[in-house]
Amino acid sequence: MTRISIPESALGQLRAAKAAMVDDAQIKDILEAKDEVLARYSPAFQPGRVEAIEEDVIRSFLRFENNQHWTGLHRQVNRICADMDKTRSALGALVDETRPVANRMQPVTDVKGMGKGIITAILHVAYPDQYGVWNNTSHDGLAEIGLLPHAPRGASFGTRYADVNDVLVALAKALDVDLWTLDTIWWYLGSGQLDEAAEQPATSSDEVTRATSPAKATRFALERHLHDYMFDNWDVLDLAHDWDIYTRDGEPEAGYEFRTPIGRIDLLARHKREPRWMVIELKREKSSDAVVGQVLRYMGWVQKHLAEGEEQVEGLVVATEGDPQLHYALEVVPSVSFKSYEVEFRLKDGPSFEEFAKP
């Protein structure tokens, strides 16, 4: 393993999080679950056994209430289990310690639904002292403290993970924690709880209720669900005729909240036939000026760092409704378009008692 130089400033942030999180009841539950989770699932992911792993075991492991550590893994379970023979073979290659980790990822990244969060969680549970978890949370944490390895364009997922894992292992050693605990530290940092003591006293729930109208609160909640709905049901949207959510090696969900150094793109898509990219942003409670500026900023980043040759980048703003400010801005930015959405919610009378009672 390459010797990793860790700045004291980065270690200081992580040590502060390590010390602060010990009083958090949820953190305590996560840390105490380690031995139980490893005892339950580590044997199933060992060489010689994983090649015959039962589908129910994979489905069970991907649920948070069982792995006690990672939310969202279950979203891909149907894709992962669609071809169990392929999945078993790929997992056998993944845990084969006779080969360098960078060289054994290709079969598992070829399984639909297998992304870096799931792949590295499985590796961690199989070999908890050797492999750390690389998911969006740890990725953001490494970037925040300036320790995310720079990967050249075109580097394979295996190569990128090997570099990330070197950093994770070095950090765990420097902090005198195991890799399960290090992953918990990333979650704690990402939750923002470390900064709470320095913030103003929280506004009471009554004050929040008075400050936010029911209509605005409902709309904001709908737009949060819209984000997930658009991703999970992309294939049934009109956009899917021409566009695919962006994926890359080892990251089938890369286009969902796509991470960039200047922020997260809500959805990133590529045209199926033409050399075009699309940055999709939900307006939410942002002002029209803010959302247009945000889309243009992300478009510029994609143009510089992802687009190649003659590939073009365009933007799409999605909201419940437009407003004059937004439409005036888009009049002079032809590369950004607008779509509104509608949500229909109705209550209807249920069957009568007589209908229920019919034989």
Side-chain angles (χ1 to χ4, degrees):
M1 183 181 78
T2 304
R3 181 175 176 81
I4 306 296
S5 176
I6 305 173
E8 188 58 35
S9 59
L11 280 177
Q13 287 181 262
L14 296 175
R15 288 191 183 111
K18 175 187 173 184
M21 73 183 194
V22 296
D23 295 324
D24 187 297
Q26 188 175 7
I27 294 293
K28 183 178 179 182
D29 289 342
I30 292 172
L31 295 178
E32 290 181 349
K34 173 192 169 186
D35 291 342
E36 178 186 346
V37 173
L38 294 182
R40 181 177 180 182
Y41 292 108
S42 185
F45 289 119
Q46 296 303 308
R49 296 190 62 178
V50 75
E51 294 85 352
I53 193 169
E54 295 292 335
E55 179 178 335
D56 287 349
V57 175
I58 293 179
R59 288 184 175 275
S60 169
F61 172 71
L62 295 182
R63 300 201 66 84
F64 171 74
E65 57 264 32
N66 298 319
N67 65 58
Q68 295 291 306
H69 212 66
W70 306 286
T71 60
L73 302 189
H74 67 281
R75 293 174 59 171
Q76 297 292 341
V77 68
N78 289 333
R79 294 179 184 177
I80 291 170
C81 294
D83 184 343
M84 282 301 300
D85 288 340
K86 181 176 182 179
T87 296
R88 292 184 183 106
S89 176
L91 291 176
L94 177 66
V95 300
D96 179 5
E97 286 289 277
T98 66
R99 301 165 56 200
V101 68
N103 297 339
R104 58 185 198 246
M105 292 290 186
Q106 194 58 53
V108 76
T109 57
D110 287 341
V111 175
K112 289 184 179 179
M114 280 287 192
K116 66 178 185 287
I118 295 175
I119 293 168
T120 60
I122 290 172
L123 260 182
H124 174 67
V125 169
Y127 304 107
D129 299 326
Q130 295 174 238
Y131 300 109
V133 176
W134 182 27
N135 52 24
N136 289 338
T137 303
S138 58
H139 180 102
D140 291 349
L142 287 168
E144 179 68 23
I145 64 174
L147 284 177
L148 183 68
H150 172 72
R153 182 178 290 193
S156 71
F157 171 73
T159 297
R160 288 183 284 135
Y161 173 66
D163 290 343
V164 168
N165 191 56
D166 283 348
V167 177
L168 296 175
V169 171
L171 281 172
K173 183 177 180 181
L175 293 168
D176 193 25
V177 298
D178 57 44
L179 289 162
W180 177 280
T181 302
L182 177 62
D183 195 56
T184 309
I185 293 174
W186 297 127
W187 179 86
Y188 187 80
L189 279 173
S191 69
Q193 296 183 60
L194 192 59
D195 299 326
E196 286 182 358
E199 295 176 352
Q200 295 291 333
T203 307
S204 72
S205 59
D206 287 343
E207 289 172 323
V208 171
T209 301
R210 290 195 295 269
T212 305
S213 70
K216 285 187 176 180
T218 300
R219 185 170 74 232
F220 185 83
L222 286 173
E223 289 183 338
R224 174 67 261 181
H225 289 296
L226 175 68
H227 188 191
D228 292 335
Y229 178 86
M230 289 181 67
F231 178 77
D232 292 335
N233 299 276
W234 183 262
D235 291 343
V236 304
L237 302 180
D238 291 342
L239 287 169
H241 177 72
D242 295 315
W243 299 89
D244 282 327
I245 295 291
Y246 174 57
T247 64
R248 60 186 174 191
D249 186 25
E251 297 180 77
E253 296 188 351
Y256 176 86
E257 293 191 340
F258 183 81
R259 267 76 174 161
T260 79
I262 58 172
R264 300 182 187 182
I265 300 171
D266 282 342
L267 294 169
L268 180 63
R270 294 192 73 174
H271 202 279
K272 292 181 175 180
R273 298 171 295 279
E274 301 172 9
R276 295 159 60 192
W277 294 78
M278 179 183 283
V279 170
I280 303 172
E281 282 295 304
L282 275 63
K283 186 172 181 291
R284 295 191 178 93
E285 293 298 294
K286 296 181 286 241
S287 70
S288 295
D289 291 345
V291 75
V292 172
Q294 189 175 41
V295 168
L296 292 176
R297 183 170 74 246
Y298 290 151
M299 289 170 60
W301 189 92
V302 172
Q303 187 73 65
K304 183 173 179 62
H305 296 282
L306 293 180
E308 298 180 349
E310 300 300 315
E311 290 183 332
Q312 300 298 309
V313 182
E314 55 200 83
L316 172 65
V317 176
V318 180
T320 51
E321 57 187 18
D323 55 46
Q325 293 92 332
L326 178 62
H327 289 296
Y328 275 120
L330 298 187
E331 276 290 315
V332 293
V333 188
S335 57
V336 181
S337 56
F338 169 76
K339 287 185 181 293
S340 62
Y341 70 90
E342 296 178 350
V343 177
E344 183 179 6
F345 178 82
R346 294 183 301 155
L347 295 176
K348 63 179 183 178
D349 292 334
S352 67
F353 175 79
E354 290 77 11
E355 291 175 300
F356 267 123
K358 287 180 181 178

